[in-house]
Amino acid sequence: QVQVEESGGGSIQTGGSLRLSCTISTNIDSFYCVGWFRQAPGKEREGVAGIGPDGSETYADSVKGRFTLTKDSAKKSLILQMNSLKPEDTGMYYCAASWRNQCNSRAWGQGSVNHYGQGTQVTVSS
């Protein structure tokens, strides 16, 4: 069974930065895509960032230029660096992996994944 664990969320003011970390219990390069999705109360899931086995990165338009996703395949870990945070970035962030959907797919963008963790809360206040 694949295990996914996140850490690093918190509360911060507009314009601040947070770094989210994730470890996955299996070879992350065996997935079509690994990355993060988020969900705010009353809203649909949104794929925030994904990275494929070839290292290609995909970002939601809402976070491009502000968020950066990196991976360390040897450590089975991901880092999501979030800068210039806005109140609309508030939500529960989940580290995730997909056997089926590539990072640039609509499905990933909608948060359709095979495995994800418990999530970590990010709250951005104005």
Side-chain angles (χ1 to χ4, degrees), residues 36-51:
W36 297 82
F37 71 88
R38 67 187 178 189
Q39 190 162 23
K43 294 190 176 180
E44 299 291 325
R45 286 185 182 182
E46 177 187 26
V48 172
I51 190 165

Side-chain angles (χ1 to χ4, degrees), residues 13 50 66 68 108:
Q13 292 190 321
R66 301 188 296 121
T68 303
W108 176 267

Side-chain angles (χ1 to χ4, degrees), residues 1-52:
Q1 185 173 351
V2 176
Q3 304 211 346
V4 182
E5 293 187 15
E6 309 97 335
S7 62
S11 297
I12 200 160
Q13 292 190 321
T14 297
S17 297
L18 284 173
R19 184 168 134 150
L20 305 184
S21 301
C22 168
T23 56
I24 300 176
S25 63
T26 192
N27 177 13
I28 62 174
D29 291 331
S30 66
F31 295 100
Y32 277 11
C33 187
V34 292
W36 297 82
F37 71 88
R38 67 187 178 189
Q39 190 162 23
K43 294 190 176 180
E44 299 291 325
R45 286 185 182 182
E46 177 187 26
V48 172
I51 190 165

Side-chain angles (χ1 to χ4, degrees), residues 33 48-52 56-60 64 69 102-105 108:
C33 187
V48 172
I51 190 165
S56 57
E57 300 161 42
T58 300
Y59 297 94
K64 278 181 183 175
L69 177 62
Q102 296 187 354
C103 297
N104 60 0
S105 68
W108 176 267

Side-chain angles (χ1 to χ4, degrees), residues 8 13 35 40 51 55 58 63 68 76 80 82-83 89-90 97-98 102 112 114:
Q13 292 190 321
I51 190 165
T58 300
V63 307
T68 303
K76 303 176 186 176
L80 183 67
M82 306 187 296
N83 298 327
D89 294 317
T90 294
S98 175
Q102 296 187 354
S112 178
N114 297 104

